[in-house]
Every structure is written in structure tokens, then in C-alpha cells.
Amino acid sequence: RKEVEQDPGPFNVPEGATVAFNCTYSNSASQSFFWYRQDCRKEPKLLMSVYSSGNEDGRFTAQLNRASQYISLLIRDSKLSDSATYLCVVISYNQGGKLIFGQGTELSVKP
Amino acid sequence: DVKVTQSSRYLVKRTGEKVFLECVQDMDHENMFWYRQDPGLGLRLIYFSYDVKMKEKGDIPEGYSVSREKKERFSLILESASTNQTSMYLCASSLPGQPQHFGDGTRLSIL
């Protein structure tokens, strides 16, 4: 089983739609969680951290469920410019603080 | 803003050559990382370093070595390039336990 798993997609949604991605992690000692965004042929860029109480940044909402060991990203009112691959990232300090990346979920927002 | 600079965006080398990929960051980060990214496999950690002259193997170190003689510079070395090392190589840096910041990536082709 992979340490961090994501549905690779692609998720094809119309503009204005709400879309949600989940990411599961296997290490219960994981302590920090992030969502990165990667555009085609570009480097990953930090989108947002994920806090225990959940957090929101504009149209983006991130949530953490420690009991079920998953994090989620919700995008409201999708824009064409949201089309990208979204990478789930987990840090487990009992693994020396390495970042573990999921394979990413591809999102395509259509007009 | 953190700046992580990789020496080349595109590189073409021949089988058997020794290849150097350079990465420099300007934010005095302790941690530096080298990944490769391949379709369907996501980001895979090759080597990382938590301090000058310190290095740790990642998930796929075979065929690679690294050098960290100065805090700001982390070099990835392909000792004898092979065609299966054709990939996108990404360098990243971070403070301990914090999200990583990535360079633009180097698309390396081994002929």
C-alpha cells in the first residue's frame, strides 16, 4: 500500500462546479499536511497547508480527518485556471521529516 | 520570496556520460532535496540533505550521488547516465518541517 494515495483522475468538471479531492495516508504518526498544485510541465507550488480544524483560502477549503487518516481539498466555483494536478503531501516526523507526495489528482475545468 | 534555481531547464546527454545537475537556493534553508518525476509514478525522492556535507538516501538513490559542500548548493550527479534516467528532475529546499519550495525543474534526456 502506498503511504499517500490519491485518485489520479482526471476530474473533468464545468466552470462554476464544486469539486472535491480526497487523499489518504497510511502513517498514523503523520503530523503535517499540505496541498500543492502543479501546472503542466511546471514545478509543484504550495497551495495551502491543512490544519486540524480545517481551513479556507478563498474558494479553497482543506480539511483533515485524523481518525480516518485522510485529507480533502474542496474547490468551489471552479475556474478554467484551476486546471492542474493537485498533489497531497504528508510529513511524518518518525520518518525524519521527509515529505511524502501523493501521485496527484488531475483536474480539468471546461468552459 | 524563496528562490530555488536549477542550472538548466533542458539538458541532453549521452549514455555513459557523467552528468551534473546543480541547484542553488537563496533563503539559507537547511534542507535540500532532489526528486525525479515520471508519468504515472509521481514525485520520487532520490537524495536529501539536512546540512552541509550531510546526505541521506531517498527512495531511489541507485545510479545517483549528491554533493553538499555549501549550504546553498546541492548537486545531483549521474555517475554513468543511462536511458532510464531520462526524466524531469526537481530540486527543492525548506526549513525543517516546513513546506518545500521547488526549482523550475530540469528536463534531462539521455540518448
Side-chain angles (χ1 to χ4, degrees), chain B residues 2-107:
Chain B
V2 176
K3 184 68 177 172
V4 180
T5 304
Q6 293 184 229
S7 51
S8 306
R9 289 299 301 273
Y10 301 94
L11 204 55
V12 180
K13 295 291 183 181
R14 295 204 174 274
T15 303
E17 280 193 71
K18 191 168 186 176
V19 181
F20 294 86
L21 301 183
E22 305 288 348
C23 175
V24 178
Q25 49 93 6
D26 65 358
M27 283 301 292
D28 204 34
H29 284 169
E30 284 86 352
N31 301 347
M32 295 189 75
F33 307 81
W34 273 106
Y35 296 88
R36 63 179 282 178
Q37 188 173 32
D38 302 285
L41 296 175
L43 277 160
R44 292 183 292 167
L45 181 63
I46 304 171
Y47 267 97
F48 59 102
S49 169
Y50 287 151
D51 203 351
V52 176
K53 295 193 185 294
M54 177 273 178
K55 59 187 178 184
E56 292 273 352
K57 291 180 180 178
D59 300 316
I60 51 162
E62 296 78 20
Y64 302 93
S65 62
V66 290
S67 171
R68 187 131 183 236
E69 294 296 317
K70 294 184 178 181
K71 192 175 185 180
E72 67 271 18
R73 186 180 296 270
F74 193 35
S75 304
L76 179 70
I77 304 151
L78 284 65
E79 298 291 345
S80 177
S82 62
T83 54
N84 63 12
Q85 292 179 308
T86 290
S87 187
M88 166 74 118
Y89 288 87
L90 287 156
C91 174
S93 74
S94 75
L95 292 169
Q98 294 299 307
Q100 293 175 6
H101 299 266
F102 285 83
D104 290 341
T106 297
R107 287 201 172 272

Side-chain angles (χ1 to χ4, degrees), chain A:
Chain A
R1 185 187 170 189
K2 292 178 184 164
E3 290 185 75
V4 178
E5 291 201 69
Q6 294 182 252
D7 181 344
F11 284 58
N12 297 306
V13 303
E15 263 188 298
T18 295
V19 62
F21 311 132
N22 276 350
C23 166
T24 58
Y25 59 94
S26 60
N27 187 344
S28 59
S30 299
Q31 295 189 322
S32 297
F33 309 89
F34 308 94
W35 283 102
Y36 275 70
R37 170 197 169 126
Q38 185 172 23
D39 292 290
C40 190
R41 304 177 78 86
K42 296 280 186 70
E43 76 279 15
K45 291 187 178 176
L46 179 66
L47 179 65
M48 59 196 300
S49 302
V50 185
Y51 301 122
S52 298
S53 54
N55 49 296
E56 198 171 297
D57 183 2
R59 297 181 293 108
F60 298 83
T61 301
Q63 292 196 309
L64 167 64
N65 185 317
R66 284 194 185 273
S68 300
Q69 294 185 200
Y70 75 84
I71 67 173
S72 63
L73 178 68
L74 181 79
I75 306 175
R76 288 182 300 278
D77 189 23
S78 301
K79 312 289 185 196
L80 296 177
S81 57
D82 293 334
S83 296
T85 296
Y86 292 83
L87 299 162
C88 165
V89 180
V90 171
I91 297 180
S92 301
Y93 292 104
N94 66 351
Q95 290 183 323
K98 286 191 303 184
L99 269 68
I100 311 296
F101 285 82
Q103 289 193 21
T105 297
E106 184 183 345
L107 172 66
S108 180
V109 181
K110 308 288 187 187

